[in-house]
Amino acid sequence: MPGPITQDRIPVAPQYPGETDGASAEQPGSAWPDGPGKLPRPSVVTVWKERGR
């Protein structure tokens, strides 16, 4: 797990990953974060940059 939030790290919290026009429980607009066959759900991830990249 990455360390604390710094200039190289930022939390990202997608609230409605499957929210698109025409999406429904039967026809979801996304399967994030669990993949095909799963409903989309809110999550929190940390994005970071490796030094020098």
Side-chain angles (χ1 to χ4, degrees):
M1 179 113 187
I5 298 170
T6 67
Q7 289 182 344
D8 294 338
R9 294 175 171 83
I10 186 169
V12 179
Q15 296 296 306
Y16 306 100
E19 186 174 50
T20 59
D21 289 342
S24 66
E26 295 78 26
Q27 295 290 322
S30 169
W32 192 86
D34 295 319
K38 306 290 183 174
L39 291 175
R41 60 192 175 100
S43 299
V44 176
V45 296
T46 300
V47 179
W48 70 92
K49 177 176 84 172
E50 291 188 36
R51 303 245 181 245
R53 295 186 179 194

mmCIF file of all heavy atoms in Angstrom:
data_model
loop_
_atom_site.group_PDB
_atom_site.id
_atom_site.type_symbol
_atom_site.label_atom_id
_atom_site.label_comp_id
_atom_site.label_asym_id
_atom_site.label_seq_id
_atom_site.Cartn_x
_atom_site.Cartn_y
_atom_site.Cartn_z
ATOM 1 N N MET A 1 0.846 -1.182 0.000
ATOM 2 C CA MET A 1 0.000 0.000 0.000
ATOM 3 C C MET A 1 0.884 1.235 0.000
ATOM 4 O O MET A 1 1.813 1.322 0.788
ATOM 5 C CB MET A 1 -0.884 -0.045 1.247
ATOM 6 C CG MET A 1 -1.782 1.125 1.394
ATOM 7 S SD MET A 1 -3.416 0.492 1.190
ATOM 8 C CE MET A 1 -4.420 1.866 1.162
ATOM 9 N N PRO A 2 0.596 2.195 -0.842
ATOM 10 C CA PRO A 2 1.393 3.424 -0.866
ATOM 11 C C PRO A 2 1.308 4.172 0.460
ATOM 12 O O PRO A 2 0.374 3.997 1.226
ATOM 13 C CB PRO A 2 0.767 4.245 -1.983
ATOM 14 C CG PRO A 2 -0.081 3.303 -2.741
ATOM 15 C CD PRO A 2 -0.435 2.179 -1.834
ATOM 16 N N GLY A 3 2.273 5.005 0.698
ATOM 17 C CA GLY A 3 2.337 5.783 1.922
ATOM 18 C C GLY A 3 1.339 6.927 1.937
ATOM 19 O O GLY A 3 0.380 6.937 1.169
ATOM 20 N N PRO A 4 1.559 7.915 2.802
ATOM 21 C CA PRO A 4 0.623 9.036 2.942
ATOM 22 C C PRO A 4 0.569 9.905 1.689
ATOM 23 O O PRO A 4 1.438 9.837 0.837
ATOM 24 C CB PRO A 4 1.205 9.822 4.121
ATOM 25 C CG PRO A 4 2.647 9.467 4.140
ATOM 26 C CD PRO A 4 2.730 8.047 3.655
ATOM 27 N N ILE A 5 -0.467 10.743 1.618
ATOM 28 C CA ILE A 5 -0.632 11.653 0.482
ATOM 29 C C ILE A 5 0.517 12.657 0.491
ATOM 30 O O ILE A 5 0.814 13.272 1.500
ATOM 31 C CB ILE A 5 -1.980 12.385 0.550
ATOM 32 C CG1 ILE A 5 -3.113 11.367 0.466
ATOM 33 C CG2 ILE A 5 -2.096 13.420 -0.560
ATOM 34 C CD1 ILE A 5 -4.459 11.959 0.756
ATOM 35 N N THR A 6 1.169 12.795 -0.642
ATOM 36 C CA THR A 6 2.255 13.755 -0.818
ATOM 37 C C THR A 6 2.050 14.432 -2.164
ATOM 38 O O THR A 6 1.023 14.225 -2.812
ATOM 39 C CB THR A 6 3.637 13.050 -0.798
ATOM 40 O OG1 THR A 6 3.734 12.215 -1.956
ATOM 41 C CG2 THR A 6 3.827 12.219 0.458
ATOM 42 N N GLN A 7 3.042 15.178 -2.623
ATOM 43 C CA GLN A 7 2.935 15.799 -3.944
ATOM 44 C C GLN A 7 2.932 14.744 -5.045
ATOM 45 O O GLN A 7 2.516 15.024 -6.153
ATOM 46 C CB GLN A 7 4.085 16.772 -4.160
ATOM 47 C CG GLN A 7 3.961 18.011 -3.313
ATOM 48 C CD GLN A 7 5.090 18.989 -3.573
ATOM 49 O OE1 GLN A 7 6.118 18.646 -4.149
ATOM 50 N NE2 GLN A 7 4.902 20.221 -3.143
ATOM 51 N N ASP A 8 3.398 13.531 -4.741
ATOM 52 C CA ASP A 8 3.436 12.464 -5.738
ATOM 53 C C ASP A 8 2.224 11.536 -5.666
ATOM 54 O O ASP A 8 2.090 10.639 -6.481
ATOM 55 C CB ASP A 8 4.693 11.619 -5.564
ATOM 56 C CG ASP A 8 5.960 12.403 -5.853
ATOM 57 O OD1 ASP A 8 5.881 13.419 -6.553
ATOM 58 O OD2 ASP A 8 7.020 11.992 -5.358
ATOM 59 N N ARG A 9 1.355 11.708 -4.666
ATOM 60 C CA ARG A 9 0.206 10.820 -4.474
ATOM 61 C C ARG A 9 -1.074 11.636 -4.345
ATOM 62 O O ARG A 9 -1.085 12.694 -3.745
ATOM 63 C CB ARG A 9 0.377 9.997 -3.202
ATOM 64 C CG ARG A 9 1.503 9.022 -3.263
ATOM 65 C CD ARG A 9 1.652 8.340 -1.911
ATOM 66 N NE ARG A 9 2.567 7.242 -1.947
ATOM 67 C CZ ARG A 9 3.881 7.347 -1.849
ATOM 68 N NH1 ARG A 9 4.440 8.532 -1.734
ATOM 69 N NH2 ARG A 9 4.648 6.286 -1.888
ATOM 70 N N ILE A 10 -2.159 11.076 -4.878
ATOM 71 C CA ILE A 10 -3.449 11.751 -4.757
ATOM 72 C C ILE A 10 -4.551 10.689 -4.693
ATOM 73 O O ILE A 10 -4.527 9.725 -5.433
ATOM 74 C CB ILE A 10 -3.691 12.722 -5.937
ATOM 75 C CG1 ILE A 10 -4.962 13.528 -5.722
ATOM 76 C CG2 ILE A 10 -3.730 11.991 -7.255
ATOM 77 C CD1 ILE A 10 -5.133 14.676 -6.676
ATOM 78 N N PRO A 11 -5.523 10.849 -3.777
ATOM 79 C CA PRO A 11 -6.653 9.919 -3.753
ATOM 80 C C PRO A 11 -7.663 10.297 -4.834
ATOM 81 O O PRO A 11 -7.860 11.475 -5.131
ATOM 82 C CB PRO A 11 -7.250 10.121 -2.357
ATOM 83 C CG PRO A 11 -6.863 11.508 -1.992
ATOM 84 C CD PRO A 11 -5.549 11.781 -2.661
ATOM 85 N N VAL A 12 -8.280 9.290 -5.416
ATOM 86 C CA VAL A 12 -9.306 9.487 -6.431
ATOM 87 C C VAL A 12 -10.525 8.682 -5.982
ATOM 88 O O VAL A 12 -10.398 7.511 -5.628
ATOM 89 C CB VAL A 12 -8.821 9.005 -7.818
ATOM 90 C CG1 VAL A 12 -9.906 9.200 -8.863
ATOM 91 C CG2 VAL A 12 -7.547 9.715 -8.217
ATOM 92 N N ALA A 13 -11.692 9.300 -5.965
ATOM 93 C CA ALA A 13 -12.897 8.635 -5.482
ATOM 94 C C ALA A 13 -14.012 8.697 -6.532
ATOM 95 O O ALA A 13 -14.866 9.579 -6.488
ATOM 96 C CB ALA A 13 -13.361 9.274 -4.178
ATOM 97 N N PRO A 14 -14.020 7.754 -7.500
ATOM 98 C CA PRO A 14 -15.110 7.715 -8.471
ATOM 99 C C PRO A 14 -16.424 7.383 -7.764
ATOM 100 O O PRO A 14 -16.554 6.320 -7.178
ATOM 101 C CB PRO A 14 -14.721 6.597 -9.435
ATOM 102 C CG PRO A 14 -13.282 6.309 -9.168
ATOM 103 C CD PRO A 14 -13.024 6.718 -7.764
ATOM 104 N N GLN A 15 -17.376 8.308 -7.782
ATOM 105 C CA GLN A 15 -18.633 8.107 -7.072
ATOM 106 C C GLN A 15 -19.650 7.299 -7.874
ATOM 107 O O GLN A 15 -20.373 6.500 -7.316
ATOM 108 C CB GLN A 15 -19.231 9.462 -6.697
ATOM 109 C CG GLN A 15 -18.384 10.240 -5.723
ATOM 110 C CD GLN A 15 -18.280 9.529 -4.379
ATOM 111 O OE1 GLN A 15 -19.274 9.195 -3.772
ATOM 112 N NE2 GLN A 15 -17.067 9.289 -3.936
ATOM 113 N N TYR A 16 -19.706 7.538 -9.172
ATOM 114 C CA TYR A 16 -20.709 6.878 -10.001
ATOM 115 C C TYR A 16 -20.050 6.361 -11.277
ATOM 116 O O TYR A 16 -20.285 6.890 -12.360
ATOM 117 C CB TYR A 16 -21.841 7.850 -10.341
ATOM 118 C CG TYR A 16 -22.450 8.477 -9.118
ATOM 119 C CD1 TYR A 16 -22.105 9.758 -8.717
ATOM 120 C CD2 TYR A 16 -23.347 7.755 -8.339
ATOM 121 C CE1 TYR A 16 -22.644 10.316 -7.573
ATOM 122 C CE2 TYR A 16 -23.890 8.308 -7.186
ATOM 123 C CZ TYR A 16 -23.538 9.590 -6.808
ATOM 124 O OH TYR A 16 -24.078 10.131 -5.677
ATOM 125 N N PRO A 17 -19.235 5.311 -11.193
ATOM 126 C CA PRO A 17 -18.468 4.867 -12.357
ATOM 127 C C PRO A 17 -19.305 4.363 -13.524
ATOM 128 O O PRO A 17 -18.850 4.365 -14.645
ATOM 129 C CB PRO A 17 -17.587 3.751 -11.803
ATOM 130 C CG PRO A 17 -18.284 3.273 -10.585
ATOM 131 C CD PRO A 17 -18.984 4.476 -10.023
ATOM 132 N N GLY A 18 -20.543 3.935 -13.283
ATOM 133 C CA GLY A 18 -21.361 3.421 -14.377
ATOM 134 C C GLY A 18 -22.428 4.381 -14.839
ATOM 135 O O GLY A 18 -23.313 4.010 -15.596
ATOM 136 N N GLU A 19 -22.374 5.630 -14.384
ATOM 137 C CA GLU A 19 -23.426 6.583 -14.711
ATOM 138 C C GLU A 19 -23.231 7.115 -16.133
ATOM 139 O O GLU A 19 -22.396 7.970 -16.393
ATOM 140 C CB GLU A 19 -23.426 7.730 -13.714
ATOM 141 C CG GLU A 19 -24.578 8.672 -13.902
ATOM 142 C CD GLU A 19 -24.634 9.715 -12.808
ATOM 143 O OE1 GLU A 19 -23.601 10.340 -12.531
ATOM 144 O OE2 GLU A 19 -25.712 9.877 -12.238
ATOM 145 N N THR A 20 -23.988 6.581 -17.052
ATOM 146 C CA THR A 20 -23.985 7.046 -18.438
ATOM 147 C C THR A 20 -25.439 7.065 -18.927
ATOM 148 O O THR A 20 -26.301 6.380 -18.367
ATOM 149 C CB THR A 20 -23.157 6.120 -19.361
ATOM 150 O OG1 THR A 20 -23.702 4.797 -19.318
ATOM 151 C CG2 THR A 20 -21.701 6.073 -18.944
ATOM 152 N N ASP A 21 -25.698 7.811 -19.968
ATOM 153 C CA ASP A 21 -27.049 7.857 -20.532
ATOM 154 C C ASP A 21 -27.473 6.458 -20.955
ATOM 155 O O ASP A 21 -26.727 5.750 -21.626
ATOM 156 C CB ASP A 21 -27.104 8.792 -21.737
ATOM 157 C CG ASP A 21 -26.983 10.255 -21.347
ATOM 158 O OD1 ASP A 21 -27.194 10.575 -20.163
ATOM 159 O OD2 ASP A 21 -26.675 11.071 -22.229
ATOM 160 N N GLY A 22 -28.653 6.045 -20.529
ATOM 161 C CA GLY A 22 -29.203 4.752 -20.927
ATOM 162 C C GLY A 22 -28.757 3.588 -20.058
ATOM 163 O O GLY A 22 -29.207 2.466 -20.264
ATOM 164 N N ALA A 23 -27.878 3.806 -19.100
ATOM 165 C CA ALA A 23 -27.420 2.712 -18.240
ATOM 166 C C ALA A 23 -28.500 2.344 -17.227
ATOM 167 O O ALA A 23 -29.276 3.183 -16.794
ATOM 168 C CB ALA A 23 -26.139 3.104 -17.520
ATOM 169 N N SER A 24 -28.556 1.066 -16.885
ATOM 170 C CA SER A 24 -29.498 0.579 -15.878
ATOM 171 C C SER A 24 -28.852 -0.609 -15.172
ATOM 172 O O SER A 24 -27.762 -1.051 -15.548
ATOM 173 C CB SER A 24 -30.804 0.144 -16.540
ATOM 174 O OG SER A 24 -30.577 -0.989 -17.361
ATOM 175 N N ALA A 25 -29.528 -1.156 -14.169
ATOM 176 C CA ALA A 25 -29.000 -2.341 -13.488
ATOM 177 C C ALA A 25 -28.891 -3.516 -14.461
ATOM 178 O O ALA A 25 -27.974 -4.330 -14.360
ATOM 179 C CB ALA A 25 -29.880 -2.708 -12.300
ATOM 180 N N GLU A 26 -29.822 -3.585 -15.413
ATOM 181 C CA GLU A 26 -29.794 -4.673 -16.403
ATOM 182 C C GLU A 26 -28.745 -4.440 -17.485
ATOM 183 O O GLU A 26 -28.208 -5.387 -18.048
ATOM 184 C CB GLU A 26 -31.175 -4.832 -17.057
ATOM 185 C CG GLU A 26 -32.262 -5.289 -16.103
ATOM 186 C CD GLU A 26 -32.791 -4.164 -15.221
ATOM 187 O OE1 GLU A 26 -32.713 -2.979 -15.611
ATOM 188 O OE2 GLU A 26 -33.281 -4.473 -14.127
ATOM 189 N N GLN A 27 -28.470 -3.173 -17.812
ATOM 190 C CA GLN A 27 -27.503 -2.793 -18.843
ATOM 191 C C GLN A 27 -26.549 -1.750 -18.263
ATOM 192 O O GLN A 27 -26.630 -0.569 -18.614
ATOM 193 C CB GLN A 27 -28.230 -2.225 -20.076
ATOM 194 C CG GLN A 27 -29.105 -3.209 -20.794
ATOM 195 C CD GLN A 27 -28.287 -4.263 -21.511
ATOM 196 O OE1 GLN A 27 -27.228 -3.977 -22.061
ATOM 197 N NE2 GLN A 27 -28.762 -5.491 -21.500
ATOM 198 N N PRO A 28 -25.641 -2.152 -17.357
ATOM 199 C CA PRO A 28 -24.748 -1.167 -16.733
ATOM 200 C C PRO A 28 -23.800 -0.529 -17.740
ATOM 201 O O PRO A 28 -23.427 -1.147 -18.738
ATOM 202 C CB PRO A 28 -23.992 -1.975 -15.686
ATOM 203 C CG PRO A 28 -24.101 -3.393 -16.122
ATOM 204 C CD PRO A 28 -25.375 -3.505 -16.896
ATOM 205 N N GLY A 29 -23.429 0.716 -17.481
ATOM 206 C CA GLY A 29 -22.500 1.437 -18.352
ATOM 207 C C GLY A 29 -21.051 1.124 -18.037
ATOM 208 O O GLY A 29 -20.152 1.546 -18.754
ATOM 209 N N SER A 30 -20.811 0.371 -16.956
ATOM 210 C CA SER A 30 -19.456 0.045 -16.534
ATOM 211 C C SER A 30 -19.515 -1.175 -15.628
ATOM 212 O O SER A 30 -20.576 -1.505 -15.083
ATOM 213 C CB SER A 30 -18.849 1.227 -15.772
ATOM 214 O OG SER A 30 -17.643 0.865 -15.149
ATOM 215 N N ALA A 31 -18.397 -1.845 -15.453
ATOM 216 C CA ALA A 31 -18.290 -2.950 -14.496
ATOM 217 C C ALA A 31 -17.140 -2.662 -13.534
ATOM 218 O O ALA A 31 -16.601 -3.558 -12.923
ATOM 219 C CB ALA A 31 -18.063 -4.265 -15.229
ATOM 220 N N TRP A 32 -16.772 -1.392 -13.426
ATOM 221 C CA TRP A 32 -15.639 -1.008 -12.580
ATOM 222 C C TRP A 32 -16.067 -0.994 -11.131
ATOM 223 O O TRP A 32 -17.161 -0.549 -10.822
ATOM 224 C CB TRP A 32 -15.155 0.386 -13.006
ATOM 225 C CG TRP A 32 -13.855 0.741 -12.406
ATOM 226 C CD1 TRP A 32 -12.627 0.434 -12.888
ATOM 227 C CD2 TRP A 32 -13.641 1.477 -11.209
ATOM 228 N NE1 TRP A 32 -11.664 0.920 -12.062
ATOM 229 C CE2 TRP A 32 -12.260 1.568 -11.024
ATOM 230 C CE3 TRP A 32 -14.467 2.049 -10.274
ATOM 231 C CZ2 TRP A 32 -11.701 2.217 -9.937
ATOM 232 C CZ3 TRP A 32 -13.920 2.692 -9.197
ATOM 233 C CH2 TRP A 32 -12.545 2.769 -9.043
ATOM 234 N N PRO A 33 -15.336 -1.500 -10.196
ATOM 235 C CA PRO A 33 -13.959 -1.979 -10.269
ATOM 236 C C PRO A 33 -13.821 -3.493 -10.344
ATOM 237 O O PRO A 33 -12.710 -4.009 -10.433
ATOM 238 C CB PRO A 33 -13.375 -1.469 -8.954
ATOM 239 C CG PRO A 33 -14.504 -1.606 -7.990
ATOM 240 C CD PRO A 33 -15.729 -1.262 -8.807
ATOM 241 N N ASP A 34 -14.924 -4.242 -10.294
ATOM 242 C CA ASP A 34 -14.824 -5.701 -10.164
ATOM 243 C C ASP A 34 -14.808 -6.485 -11.474
ATOM 244 O O ASP A 34 -14.551 -7.676 -11.463
ATOM 245 C CB ASP A 34 -15.962 -6.219 -9.280
ATOM 246 C CG ASP A 34 -15.839 -5.712 -7.858
ATOM 247 O OD1 ASP A 34 -14.713 -5.674 -7.339
ATOM 248 O OD2 ASP A 34 -16.871 -5.334 -7.275
ATOM 249 N N GLY A 35 -15.113 -5.848 -12.591
ATOM 250 C CA GLY A 35 -15.022 -6.533 -13.871
ATOM 251 C C GLY A 35 -16.352 -7.065 -14.385
ATOM 252 O O GLY A 35 -17.406 -6.864 -13.780
ATOM 253 N N PRO A 36 -16.313 -7.743 -15.526
ATOM 254 C CA PRO A 36 -17.515 -8.217 -16.209
ATOM 255 C C PRO A 36 -18.446 -9.027 -15.302
ATOM 256 O O PRO A 36 -17.994 -9.820 -14.476
ATOM 257 C CB PRO A 36 -16.964 -9.094 -17.336
ATOM 258 C CG PRO A 36 -15.594 -8.554 -17.578
ATOM 259 C CD PRO A 36 -15.090 -8.121 -16.229
ATOM 260 N N GLY A 37 -19.745 -8.777 -15.469
ATOM 261 C CA GLY A 37 -20.748 -9.493 -14.702
ATOM 262 C C GLY A 37 -21.032 -8.891 -13.336
ATOM 263 O O GLY A 37 -21.896 -9.379 -12.618
ATOM 264 N N LYS A 38 -20.338 -7.827 -12.967
ATOM 265 C CA LYS A 38 -20.531 -7.182 -11.664
ATOM 266 C C LYS A 38 -21.088 -5.776 -11.861
ATOM 267 O O LYS A 38 -20.838 -5.135 -12.871
ATOM 268 C CB LYS A 38 -19.205 -7.083 -10.898
ATOM 269 C CG LYS A 38 -18.493 -8.394 -10.737
ATOM 270 C CD LYS A 38 -19.229 -9.293 -9.776
ATOM 271 C CE LYS A 38 -18.435 -10.570 -9.591
ATOM 272 N NZ LYS A 38 -18.977 -11.440 -8.604
ATOM 273 N N LEU A 39 -21.828 -5.290 -10.881
ATOM 274 C CA LEU A 39 -22.351 -3.932 -10.940
ATOM 275 C C LEU A 39 -21.253 -2.934 -10.575
ATOM 276 O O LEU A 39 -20.396 -3.234 -9.739
ATOM 277 C CB LEU A 39 -23.521 -3.772 -9.970
ATOM 278 C CG LEU A 39 -24.798 -4.517 -10.341
ATOM 279 C CD1 LEU A 39 -25.833 -4.382 -9.236
ATOM 280 C CD2 LEU A 39 -25.356 -4.004 -11.658
ATOM 281 N N PRO A 40 -21.275 -1.751 -11.180
ATOM 282 C CA PRO A 40 -20.303 -0.730 -10.806
ATOM 283 C C PRO A 40 -20.577 -0.254 -9.383
ATOM 284 O O PRO A 40 -21.707 -0.327 -8.899
ATOM 285 C CB PRO A 40 -20.547 0.396 -11.813
ATOM 286 C CG PRO A 40 -21.945 0.209 -12.283
ATOM 287 C CD PRO A 40 -22.203 -1.263 -12.199
ATOM 288 N N ARG A 41 -19.514 0.172 -8.700
ATOM 289 C CA ARG A 41 -19.693 0.684 -7.342
ATOM 290 C C ARG A 41 -18.650 1.737 -7.033
ATOM 291 O O ARG A 41 -17.558 1.739 -7.599
ATOM 292 C CB ARG A 41 -19.661 -0.427 -6.319
ATOM 293 C CG ARG A 41 -18.384 -1.210 -6.301
ATOM 294 C CD ARG A 41 -18.557 -2.482 -5.469
ATOM 295 N NE ARG A 41 -17.358 -3.262 -5.560
ATOM 296 C CZ ARG A 41 -16.413 -3.298 -4.636
ATOM 297 N NH1 ARG A 41 -16.538 -2.607 -3.534
ATOM 298 N NH2 ARG A 41 -15.347 -4.024 -4.802
ATOM 299 N N PRO A 42 -18.978 2.664 -6.125
ATOM 300 C CA PRO A 42 -18.024 3.698 -5.758
ATOM 301 C C PRO A 42 -16.812 3.071 -5.075
ATOM 302 O O PRO A 42 -16.926 2.043 -4.414
ATOM 303 C CB PRO A 42 -18.782 4.609 -4.792
ATOM 304 C CG PRO A 42 -20.122 4.021 -4.591
ATOM 305 C CD PRO A 42 -20.240 2.800 -5.413
ATOM 306 N N SER A 43 -15.676 3.675 -5.254
ATOM 307 C CA SER A 43 -14.432 3.171 -4.671
ATOM 308 C C SER A 43 -13.482 4.326 -4.413
ATOM 309 O O SER A 43 -13.684 5.427 -4.905
ATOM 310 C CB SER A 43 -13.763 2.178 -5.630
ATOM 311 O OG SER A 43 -14.600 1.082 -5.877
ATOM 312 N N VAL A 44 -12.432 4.051 -3.666
ATOM 313 C CA VAL A 44 -11.363 5.021 -3.455
ATOM 314 C C VAL A 44 -10.054 4.343 -3.810
ATOM 315 O O VAL A 44 -9.781 3.234 -3.361
ATOM 316 C CB VAL A 44 -11.310 5.520 -1.992
ATOM 317 C CG1 VAL A 44 -10.129 6.447 -1.781
ATOM 318 C CG2 VAL A 44 -12.603 6.207 -1.617
ATOM 319 N N VAL A 45 -9.275 4.981 -4.667
ATOM 320 C CA VAL A 45 -7.963 4.461 -5.057
ATOM 321 C C VAL A 45 -6.945 5.573 -4.863
ATOM 322 O O VAL A 45 -7.290 6.743 -4.775
ATOM 323 C CB VAL A 45 -7.948 3.967 -6.528
ATOM 324 C CG1 VAL A 45 -8.883 2.806 -6.725
ATOM 325 C CG2 VAL A 45 -8.298 5.087 -7.479
ATOM 326 N N THR A 46 -5.681 5.194 -4.746
ATOM 327 C CA THR A 46 -4.606 6.171 -4.661
ATOM 328 C C THR A 46 -3.760 6.047 -5.911
ATOM 329 O O THR A 46 -3.350 4.949 -6.286
ATOM 330 C CB THR A 46 -3.735 5.935 -3.412
ATOM 331 O OG1 THR A 46 -4.559 6.055 -2.267
ATOM 332 C CG2 THR A 46 -2.612 6.941 -3.341
ATOM 333 N N VAL A 47 -3.512 7.166 -6.554
ATOM 334 C CA VAL A 47 -2.679 7.204 -7.756
ATOM 335 C C VAL A 47 -1.378 7.866 -7.364
ATOM 336 O O VAL A 47 -1.375 8.868 -6.657
ATOM 337 C CB VAL A 47 -3.386 8.018 -8.871
ATOM 338 C CG1 VAL A 47 -2.520 8.084 -10.117
ATOM 339 C CG2 VAL A 47 -4.740 7.425 -9.173
ATOM 340 N N TRP A 48 -0.250 7.277 -7.789
ATOM 341 C CA TRP A 48 1.031 7.874 -7.456
ATOM 342 C C TRP A 48 1.995 7.792 -8.620
ATOM 343 O O TRP A 48 1.807 7.009 -9.532
ATOM 344 C CB TRP A 48 1.636 7.240 -6.201
ATOM 345 C CG TRP A 48 2.124 5.844 -6.350
ATOM 346 C CD1 TRP A 48 3.375 5.435 -6.671
ATOM 347 C CD2 TRP A 48 1.365 4.653 -6.194
ATOM 348 N NE1 TRP A 48 3.450 4.067 -6.721
ATOM 349 C CE2 TRP A 48 2.222 3.560 -6.407
ATOM 350 C CE3 TRP A 48 0.026 4.393 -5.879
ATOM 351 C CZ2 TRP A 48 1.795 2.240 -6.336
ATOM 352 C CZ3 TRP A 48 -0.385 3.079 -5.800
ATOM 353 C CH2 TRP A 48 0.488 2.039 -6.021
ATOM 354 N N LYS A 49 2.972 8.629 -8.564
ATOM 355 C CA LYS A 49 3.990 8.713 -9.606
ATOM 356 C C LYS A 49 5.300 8.223 -9.011
ATOM 357 O O LYS A 49 5.712 8.650 -7.940
ATOM 358 C CB LYS A 49 4.134 10.164 -10.075
ATOM 359 C CG LYS A 49 5.212 10.373 -11.111
ATOM 360 C CD LYS A 49 5.217 11.805 -11.573
ATOM 361 C CE LYS A 49 6.029 12.650 -10.621
ATOM 362 N NZ LYS A 49 6.231 14.009 -11.126
ATOM 363 N N GLU A 50 5.955 7.293 -9.718
ATOM 364 C CA GLU A 50 7.274 6.852 -9.272
ATOM 365 C C GLU A 50 8.279 7.941 -9.576
ATOM 366 O O GLU A 50 8.187 8.617 -10.603
ATOM 367 C CB GLU A 50 7.650 5.554 -9.971
ATOM 368 C CG GLU A 50 6.814 4.376 -9.520
ATOM 369 C CD GLU A 50 7.320 3.069 -10.084
ATOM 370 O OE1 GLU A 50 8.547 2.912 -10.218
ATOM 371 O OE2 GLU A 50 6.480 2.220 -10.396
ATOM 372 N N ARG A 51 9.206 8.116 -8.724
ATOM 373 C CA ARG A 51 10.229 9.160 -8.894
ATOM 374 C C ARG A 51 10.940 9.013 -10.237
ATOM 375 O O ARG A 51 11.295 7.920 -10.652
ATOM 376 C CB ARG A 51 11.245 9.078 -7.780
ATOM 377 C CG ARG A 51 10.614 9.203 -6.417
ATOM 378 C CD ARG A 51 11.080 10.451 -5.723
ATOM 379 N NE ARG A 51 10.483 10.543 -4.409
ATOM 380 C CZ ARG A 51 9.643 11.483 -4.059
ATOM 381 N NH1 ARG A 51 9.322 12.421 -4.893
ATOM 382 N NH2 ARG A 51 9.120 11.511 -2.852
ATOM 383 N N GLY A 52 11.083 10.138 -10.938
ATOM 384 C CA GLY A 52 11.789 10.135 -12.216
ATOM 385 C C GLY A 52 10.952 9.687 -13.401
ATOM 386 O O GLY A 52 11.463 9.537 -14.487
ATOM 387 N N ARG A 53 9.677 9.452 -13.197
ATOM 388 C CA ARG A 53 8.825 8.991 -14.302
ATOM 389 C C ARG A 53 7.664 9.907 -14.517
ATOM 390 O O ARG A 53 7.199 10.581 -13.712
ATOM 391 C CB ARG A 53 8.300 7.583 -14.006
ATOM 392 C CG ARG A 53 9.404 6.591 -13.965
ATOM 393 C CD ARG A 53 8.841 5.219 -13.824
ATOM 394 N NE ARG A 53 9.985 4.308 -13.805
ATOM 395 C CZ ARG A 53 9.867 3.040 -13.959
ATOM 396 N NH1 ARG A 53 8.700 2.500 -14.139
ATOM 397 N NH2 ARG A 53 10.904 2.267 -13.930
#
